[in-house]
Amino acid sequence: MVKSLNGKLDSLARIMAFQQNPLQPDDWQDVTLSEGGLAFSASPQAWQTGDRLAIRMTLPPELFQPRAVAQVLDVQADGTGGVRVHTGFIRIQDGDRQQITRHVMRWQIRQRQNE
């Protein structure tokens, strides 16, 4: 009971902090996320295969902020003058990977409910 209450209070605190200092629309980045990595759009010369990047995501609506180090696996032209960068996590805490897994599962459930 106490652990559940602490989790809810932590979520509420993150939401309140986010509302007081929200990200601007230009700061948001749509990504394709999985337990193993993520893919995102970028300008053509921004990333090359083999590059490493430090990642801190904010996963709505809980506002969890998992962190990871990822390596660029592939860069493909997207047909709009940009590229789609595909990465794989090479260093990530188990707890952060579990947060991502839960987030992806919740998102898939919401998508199925909306169909």
Side-chain angles (χ1 to χ4, degrees):
M1 171 82 170
V2 173
K3 186 175 182 179
S4 174
L5 184 57
N6 281 341
K8 291 176 183 177
L9 287 173
D10 286 344
S11 292
L12 182 59
R14 279 193 291 271
I15 289 167
M16 290 173 63
F18 182 75
Q19 287 176 341
Q20 291 173 358
N21 188 20
L23 294 173
Q24 300 303 310
D26 292 342
D27 295 331
W28 288 90
Q29 172 71 265
D30 286 329
V31 301
T32 302
L33 177 63
S34 74
E35 184 177 317
L38 56 88
F40 58 92
S41 296
S43 60
Q45 286 77 30
W47 301 99
Q48 296 179 2
T49 301
D51 286 349
R52 292 184 177 189
L53 52 148
I55 299 171
R56 185 185 75 181
M57 300 166 268
T58 300
L59 304 176
E62 300 87 2
L63 302 180
F64 291 133
Q65 292 189 326
R67 298 170 189 229
V69 174
Q71 185 166 11
V72 175
L73 303 174
D74 190 30
V75 179
Q76 297 177 342
D78 66 7
T80 66
V83 296
R84 193 77 178 155
V85 180
H86 301 267
T87 71
F89 297 134
I90 57 173
R91 192 169 54 230
I92 185 169
Q93 297 280 331
D94 285 339
D96 287 343
R97 189 180 304 272
Q98 290 171 5
Q99 283 182 349
I100 291 169
T101 300
R102 284 190 297 271
H103 175 78
V104 169
M105 289 174 59
R106 280 194 220 73
W107 185 86
Q108 289 173 338
I109 289 168
R110 282 193 299 269
Q111 290 300 107
R112 287 187 189 123
Q113 290 171 344
N114 291 335
E115 290 178 355

